[in-house]
Structures are given as C-alpha cells and as structure tokens.
Amino acid sequence: MPSVTNWCSVRNNSIKILESLNQKLSSDINTLVEPNIEAPTCVSKDNVNQSLVRSFRTEVTKLSVLISVVLMILLVNDAGVIIDLIYSLEAMREGINLEGLGIGLNLSDYIFGVNALSLSMKMEMIGIVRGAEHTFPAFQEWNSIAVPLLTDGKTTGYITMFFNRNQPSEFAIPFLYQLGTAVTRGAEDRKSNQDLNNLNKQFDQYKLSPREREVSTSWYLEKSALYISSLLGITEGTVRNTLNNIYTKMNVSDRKQFINKLTCSMN
C-alpha cells in the first residue's frame, strides 16, 4: 500500500497533473468528455479477482458502522473498470445523477477525464479530486478519493470513494487507506487458502501421504530442503528421500517440473 502521507490532489499539483492527464485526453481537460454509459465494458467473472471482491465486501461491511456520511465506494480493476460498488444509502445513486454508473463502467481519464481514480492511476499514489475539479459535471457535486491496491509491489486495483463536496476530503484518507490495506490483506489470505485447497486436491490425485503433503506444500512454495527439515523437525536427508518418493508418484524429475505440473493441474 502507498503511504498514507503520500497523496496528491489537483489543488496542490494542478499544473503538473493537468498537463499529465491531458496527454491522454483528445480535447482540452476542461471540455466535457462524453462517456458512453449505455455500453459498459463487459466484465466476465473469469476475469475478476473474486478474492478481492469478497474481501472488499467483507471489509466495507465491517467499517460501515464507522460511516456517518453519505458515500459510494467502488472497487476498480487495474484498467479503471468498476468491478463492484457499495452505496451507504441508495439516495447516493440518485444524488450523483448518473443512472449508468455501475459495474463494467470505465472511470479512467480518457473516458471521464479528471477524477480521483484517473489521478491515482496517473500519479501512482493516493489521489484526491474535489467538487468542480472533476471534468465530468455529474461528479462536481462530490469529492472523490482513490487508493491503489498493491500486491507484491504491483497494482492490482483501486478503491475509489465519492462523498459530498461539503465534507472535508482529508478525513477520508486514513479511512480509505485502512480499508485498502484490509482489503488487500484479506484478498491475499483468501487466495492463499484457495491455493492450499487446490493443492490438497492435487495431492489427493497423486495419493500423497500426510508427510509427503507437508513437504510438497513447502517445496511448492520454493522453500529449501534445509528450511523444510527445520520446519518439520526431520533431517534434510529425510526431506530429500520424501521428495524422491513424491517425484516418483507424480512422474517428474525436478522442482520445476513438480511446480509446473501442480500449477497446470490447478489452472
């Protein structure tokens, strides 16, 4: 996650940000961009990080008791496409005056111009856009803030929040930062559990013993034989003998083949 103190806004960086965003816009940044809200991008479930979506909904629900303002929170993929959204009140949908705003809509700069998401995508940090700073008129009644979601240093998506422009935007930074951190951690935990479940199914297929499963799990995670021996309280020689038995059952000859066979089977 980016640092909670590392954020940018149009107000604080107007010239640099507008010039940067303008490189992708076909017309002047202050000219209305006409988004095609009648034809949202098709978002296939196969192309959506379901662990991220489930974690997003879980964490927003947990934090909802702390929310005292009307707002909308979006989960967006790394291309700027909405993959989930939650309103604190249904009135928020009416208030934003954009019936087409929903899953599949792309909020990136070349479609909607300046908003917190497009700013965050461009500057690669937390972004804030206030009221009239938004290019699209329907957003100008609101403030927006976006935070990147990082996994292993790679941006996997964004959380974007819209709330009334009369509310101070700075309050939302620690809130959204906390939410983003929790969502990322939760998604990683879910993915790890899912991977372990999938591994166990593969181990069933190859009829691995309980000890062979323990060794295989660590070997798949690219741990050393020495590490595995210390973890399981057995000798390094026992680890290597166990690996030989595993290789025989799986008809592979080295770790690369071992990992590739398990990975291909899970996919």
Side-chain angles (χ1 to χ4, degrees):
M1 290 293 297
S3 169
V4 70
T5 60
N6 189 20
W7 57 274
C8 62
S9 69
V10 172
R11 180 178 300 173
N12 297 339
N13 302 273
S14 57
I15 295 177
K16 179 180 178 180
I17 290 172
L18 291 179
E19 287 179 349
S20 182
L21 287 176
N22 203 29
Q23 292 176 4
K24 287 188 177 181
L25 290 171
S26 59
S27 58
D28 184 84
I29 199 68
N30 293 315
T31 302
L32 171 64
V33 178
E34 293 290 349
N36 182 10
I37 63 175
E38 299 299 328
T41 303
C42 179
V43 181
S44 168
K45 287 186 177 180
D46 294 335
N47 296 325
V48 172
N49 186 332
Q50 295 298 333
S51 295
L52 196 64
V53 172
R54 293 190 187 99
S55 180
F56 170 73
R57 289 197 160 264
T58 298
E59 297 304 327
V60 171
T61 300
K62 287 180 182 177
L63 291 176
S64 62
V65 295
L66 304 176
I67 299 173
S68 60
V69 299
V70 178
L71 52 78
M72 174 178 63
I73 304 178
L74 312 175
L75 178 63
V76 184
N77 68 14
D78 58 352
V81 177
I82 300 171
I83 57 177
D84 202 5
L85 71 166
I86 296 176
Y87 298 91
S88 63
L89 291 174
E90 187 60 27
M92 178 66 179
R93 180 190 292 273
E94 301 170 2
I96 206 165
N97 193 28
L98 187 60
E99 292 295 333
L101 185 64
I103 294 174
L105 196 66
N106 193 318
L107 289 180
S108 59
D109 56 359
Y110 69 91
I111 296 179
F112 275 95
V114 177
N115 60 72
L117 173 65
S118 63
L119 180 60
S120 184
M121 291 177 71
K122 191 66 179 179
M123 305 304 289
E124 298 182 347
M125 64 177 69
I126 297 171
I128 298 175
V129 177
R130 303 171 178 87
E133 295 169 354
H134 291 91
T135 302
F136 192 63
F139 292 161
Q140 292 178 1
E141 293 299 314
W142 308 93
N143 292 332
S144 63
I145 178 171
V147 58
L149 303 176
L150 302 178
T151 301
D152 296 328
K154 179 182 178 182
T155 300
T156 55
Y158 300 82
I159 294 180
T160 303
M161 184 167 70
F162 286 89
F163 52 97
N164 191 285
R165 68 179 182 182
N166 294 323
Q167 294 284 344
S169 55
E170 285 73 14
F171 91 92
I173 296 177
F175 170 80
L176 209 61
Y177 179 83
Q178 178 184 355
L179 177 60
T181 300
V183 168
T184 301
R185 186 184 301 116
E188 290 173 348
D189 290 345
R190 289 171 185 269
K191 180 66 165 58
S192 296
N193 290 336
Q194 183 180 3
D195 286 346
L196 287 176
N197 288 336
N198 289 336
L199 274 178
N200 281 322
K201 291 179 182 178
Q202 298 306 312
F203 297 160
D204 288 341
Q205 177 183 341
Y206 296 111
K207 296 181 170 54
L208 300 188
S209 69
R211 174 65 78 193
E212 289 169 343
R213 289 168 185 258
E214 291 176 329
V215 172
S216 291
T217 299
S218 293
W219 197 242
Y220 178 81
L221 296 174
E222 302 191 49
K223 304 300 183 181
S224 68
L226 180 60
Y227 173 92
I228 297 172
S229 68
S230 176
L231 177 69
L232 301 181
I234 56 180
T235 67
E236 189 174 350
T238 300
V239 172
R240 296 200 178 279
N241 288 335
T242 304
L243 285 171
N244 287 333
N245 293 335
I246 294 167
Y247 285 176
T248 299
K249 288 183 178 181
M250 294 182 61
N251 193 28
V252 297
S253 59
D254 56 34
R255 177 159 24 198
K256 182 178 180 181
Q257 291 181 5
F258 166 79
I259 291 176
N260 286 343
K261 193 159 193 175
L262 288 174
T263 302
C264 290
S265 297
M266 287 191 294
N267 293 335

